[in-house]
Amino acid sequence: MANLSASDNYFTFFGLTPRFVFDTLALDQAYLAIQKEVHPDRHASGSDTEQRLAMQMATYANGAYRTLKDPIARGLYLCQLHGVEANLETNTAMPVQFLMKQMEWREALDDHADDLDALERLAAEVEKTRHDSLLELNHAFEQSAYTQAVDILRGLLFINKFATELDDAIEQLV
């Protein structure tokens, strides 16, 4: 059975190098291999200790996989590994330019709530901004600029939340 104590972080648990951009297929394959190894059915006839360890390993693998699969969670985790806490609840400061863009997008969503074409154009703009932010985030990680990475991650959290609201508005019109 995989050994939790042999890995000091989620990346090494799956045999990956801690990086923001990595081989997601390797992550998927490592996750499936571990899940196969610790599946409860495989340990149904084992001792209570074996069953408990298998359950703990499955729970750890699920949490690690979800964290590494999601770019924002992965970014926050990488910052944490390098001693930089995001403090998302207390640090909400954002650049004025970003705040202005937030207001512009919210007004556009409100003003065009019944205009599918306008909302789809807005969705494309938001997706491009998200994509560009992910590229900027990768660059920050490559430069070991973890404080800058946290700032970008806070922006991405807003962008993802707004994109979800926008998708919901579009679905109501389709």
Side-chain angles (χ1 to χ4, degrees), residues 1-2 4 37-61:
M1 184 180 323
L4 272 177
E37 186 179 343
V38 299
H39 193 278
D41 290 348
R42 186 175 175 154
H43 300 278
S45 62
S47 68
D48 287 346
T49 300
E50 290 170 332
Q51 290 179 15
R52 183 177 47 78
L53 289 174
M55 182 61 73
Q56 287 175 343
M57 183 67 71
T59 301
Y60 184 84

Side-chain angles (χ1 to χ4, degrees), residues 83-102:
V84 177
E85 293 294 332
N87 298 320
L88 298 175
E89 299 81 21
T90 57
N91 185 358
T92 57
M94 296 297 295
V96 171
Q97 184 180 7
F98 185 80
L99 296 173
M100 296 299 289
K101 181 54 81 178
Q102 282 183 4

Side-chain angles (χ1 to χ4, degrees), residues 1-2 10 13-16 22-40 42-43 54 57-58 60-66 68-69:
M1 184 180 323
Y10 294 162
F13 178 71
F14 290 118
L16 302 168
F22 62 93
D23 183 358
T24 55
L25 181 59
L27 171 63
D28 292 343
Q29 291 172 340
Y31 173 73
L32 291 175
I34 289 172
Q35 284 299 333
K36 184 177 178 183
E37 186 179 343
V38 299
H39 193 278
R42 186 175 175 154
H43 300 278
M57 183 67 71
Y60 184 84
N62 288 337
Y65 180 76
R66 277 193 305 272
L68 297 185
K69 198 73 173 171

Side-chain angles (χ1 to χ4, degrees), residues 68-130:
L68 297 185
K69 198 73 173 171
D70 177 72
I72 293 175
R74 181 173 60 244
L76 292 169
Y77 183 68
L78 271 171
C79 288
Q80 183 183 15
L81 285 178
H82 289 89
V84 177
E85 293 294 332
N87 298 320
L88 298 175
E89 299 81 21
T90 57
N91 185 358
T92 57
M94 296 297 295
V96 171
Q97 184 180 7
F98 185 80
L99 296 173
M100 296 299 289
K101 181 54 81 178
Q102 282 183 4
M103 289 174 43
E104 180 185 319
W105 284 348
R106 290 227 172 267
E107 287 174 11
L109 178 57
D110 291 341
D111 292 347
H112 303 289
D114 297 327
D115 184 345
L116 181 59
D117 290 338
L119 293 183
E120 287 178 339
R121 283 192 303 275
L122 180 59
E125 179 184 336
V126 170
E127 181 53 33
K128 181 180 180 332
T129 302
R130 181 181 178 282

